[in-house]
Amino acid sequence: MSHQSNPPDLPGRRDALWRRGPVYTESDRTMARLVARPVREFLRVEYASSVLLLTAAVVALVWANSPWSSTYDDLWRTHISLDLGVLRLDESLQYWVNDALMVVFFFVVGLEIKYELVHGDLRDPRSAALPIVAAIGGMVVPAGIYAVVVGGGDGSAGWGIPMATDIAFAVGVLGLLGRRIPAPARLFLLTLAVVDDIGAILVIAVFYTADLDLVWLAIAVGLLLVMLAMRVLRIWAVPAYVLVGGLAWLATLESGVHATLAGVAIGLMTPARPLLEERVAREYAREAISDHELDADELARMRFLLDESVSMVERLQTRLHPLSAYVVLPVFALANAGVELGGGVLGTAAGSAIALGITLGLVVGKPVGIVLAALVAVRLGLGRLPDGTSWRMLTGLGAVGGIGFTVSLFIAGLSFPGDELLTGEAKIGILAGSLLSALLGVTLLLLATRRPTR
């Protein structure tokens, strides 16, 4: 998706370097480039994002319970229209945040999943087995606890709410503990959270989809196939992909499938291999410098080659991850975390099966499910504990996985559309469960990493 659709004209021997074509070998990729640098940048962004998320959630709660609470409701219920001639959308600002702005977040999630499948832990089934199995246990047990507590009735639709893990908050909590948590344990939690995202996406697609319009769905699938054909034809112009992707989002929105899933699909289709081998770009740069041909054209050629030696997944992650973490998620929290706590709402929520089921699912179900599933995987020889990680530490990591804030709030809105009472009870359960999970996780990890006194 470079701004240039064709490579620059390379003179002399450097032209031969280009004509070798894209080489997709892994041998020349260093561990620092594939693992250490991306993970370090990812963690740095997530730490800051967790602070912004928490701030936005607190602001929303205070605002919704202040004397100016009416302005909070009025703001997010303000209607914004989009008239495209044959299609007209007239929805509230909160709807646009949840169904349009959050597409950026889910697109970045799709990019992260694609990167992990091609370059990360998920490419090796043996190393990925333990976090995958643990993540499945961490989704099944919370959903089961919720189903048992809530039973049937209107609240039964919320079983997917306690399944989620908020990676920004989870990584932020680990950041508080610094070097007490070994790097393999952090990578275990990151991989688990990515698998958890995959599970949440599948749950949303299968169980939280409205009535399907097969015509619009076929159009959406067709547009995604057009994007795939553009990749095959080596069309790299970004505006073309933005246009087709935007149309795919509109078609998905009209089909009844939640529109954010279009972002995930496009992210998974993004190329994770560079157009040009990195070694070729380095050789060209050395040739240019040694020949002292660093004029404007030569610098443009070097920049092109260096850009194309980095995969599109990595480039888009670098550009969009900060936007998602620093803008999209805080705005989403501000739009959705404002729950009125007065008028006996807390008392009602305290006796609500929905709030109790979510809280127990996050606080109890997550660590129990993660640890039990990991124990089974280790006993069956499917995986082993990360280096420097004990079962006590794994329990603490499982408790941190119970911080479900962002995706849990998102699924809550899909579970009880139009029912503010049930949605409010679910949000209180999410806030309570996430806060208790954070406190429990920090406590357990401090105990598991306590150094013996002399």
Side-chain angles (χ1 to χ4, degrees), residues 109-124:
V109 169
L111 293 174
E112 291 170 356
I113 293 172
K114 181 65 176 285
Y115 183 86
E116 290 295 324
L117 288 171
V118 177
H119 301 298
D121 287 342
L122 295 182
R123 69 172 175 169
D124 183 1

Side-chain angles (χ1 to χ4, degrees), residues 68-252:
W68 305 278
S69 59
S70 60
T71 61
Y72 179 86
D73 294 330
D74 292 342
L75 172 64
W76 300 113
R77 290 176 181 174
T78 301
H79 273 243
I80 299 176
S81 299
L82 178 64
D83 194 345
L84 300 177
V86 295
L87 183 64
R88 186 175 187 274
L89 298 174
D90 184 14
E91 302 292 348
S92 67
L93 179 58
Q94 186 181 50
Y95 176 92
W96 286 109
V97 169
N98 294 349
D99 287 63
L101 191 61
M102 282 294 283
V103 171
V104 177
F105 166 74
F106 280 96
F107 176 59
V108 174
V109 169
L111 293 174
E112 291 170 356
I113 293 172
K114 181 65 176 285
Y115 183 86
E116 290 295 324
L117 288 171
V118 177
H119 301 298
D121 287 342
L122 295 182
R123 69 172 175 169
D124 183 1
R126 295 195 64 180
S127 63
L130 186 65
I132 289 176
V133 173
I136 293 173
M139 290 185 284
V140 172
V141 174
I145 290 177
Y146 180 90
V148 170
V149 172
V150 174
D154 296 335
S156 60
W159 58 269
I161 298 173
M163 296 174 63
T165 295
D166 190 307
I167 190 169
F169 270 134
V171 171
V173 168
L174 293 188
L176 296 175
L177 302 174
R179 296 184 179 180
R180 284 174 172 266
I181 309 301
R186 293 174 185 269
L187 288 175
F188 170 86
L189 184 63
L190 286 175
T191 306
L192 183 146
V194 170
V195 177
D196 196 285
D197 284 339
I198 297 174
I201 290 164
L202 293 175
V203 167
I204 293 171
V206 176
F207 298 102
Y208 292 99
T209 294
D211 296 333
L212 282 176
D213 186 318
L214 296 180
V215 175
W216 279 108
L217 183 60
I219 294 174
V221 173
L223 288 167
L224 292 175
L225 291 177
V226 168
M227 295 186 72
L228 185 60
M230 291 166 63
R231 271 189 55 191
V232 174
L233 295 174
R234 299 167 69 87
I235 298 173
W236 306 111
V238 172
Y241 285 89
V242 172
L243 175 61
V244 178
L247 293 175
W249 170 79
L250 279 173
T252 306

Side-chain angles (χ1 to χ4, degrees), residues 197-369:
D197 284 339
I198 297 174
I201 290 164
L202 293 175
V203 167
I204 293 171
V206 176
F207 298 102
Y208 292 99
T209 294
D211 296 333
L212 282 176
D213 186 318
L214 296 180
V215 175
W216 279 108
L217 183 60
I219 294 174
V221 173
L223 288 167
L224 292 175
L225 291 177
V226 168
M227 295 186 72
L228 185 60
M230 291 166 63
R231 271 189 55 191
V232 174
L233 295 174
R234 299 167 69 87
I235 298 173
W236 306 111
V238 172
Y241 285 89
V242 172
L243 175 61
V244 178
L247 293 175
W249 170 79
L250 279 173
T252 306
L253 182 67
E254 292 298 306
S255 72
V257 177
H258 201 276
T260 52
L261 297 178
V264 177
I266 295 171
L268 290 173
M269 292 173 59
T270 304
R273 304 279 189 185
L275 182 66
L276 180 69
E277 186 183 1
E278 183 182 2
R279 178 175 54 82
V280 176
R282 288 201 304 266
E283 288 183 23
Y284 177 84
R286 292 194 193 99
E287 291 280 349
I289 293 173
S290 63
D291 292 345
H292 304 289
E293 298 177 6
L294 296 180
D295 55 15
D297 291 339
E298 196 70 23
L299 287 173
R301 295 187 189 101
M302 289 175 61
R303 180 175 181 178
F304 176 86
L305 289 178
L306 291 173
D307 281 346
E308 297 306 336
S309 68
V310 180
S311 71
M312 184 54 59
V313 161
E314 293 174 86
R315 275 188 274 170
L316 288 176
Q317 273 188 297
T318 301
R319 295 171 185 173
L320 295 180
H321 191 198
L323 173 65
S324 173
Y326 298 149
V327 178
V328 175
L329 291 184
V331 171
F332 172 81
L334 189 63
N336 290 274
V339 183
E340 289 191 39
L341 304 178
V345 172
L346 283 178
T348 303
S352 165
I354 293 176
L356 179 61
I358 293 172
T359 302
L360 289 177
L362 292 173
V363 178
V364 178
K366 271 291 184 179
V368 170

Side-chain angles (χ1 to χ4, degrees), residues 9-19 284 293:
D9 183 27
L10 305 181
R13 285 186 297 142
R14 294 192 291 279
D15 183 60
L17 294 176
W18 172 267
R19 296 185 186 282
Y284 177 84
E293 298 177 6

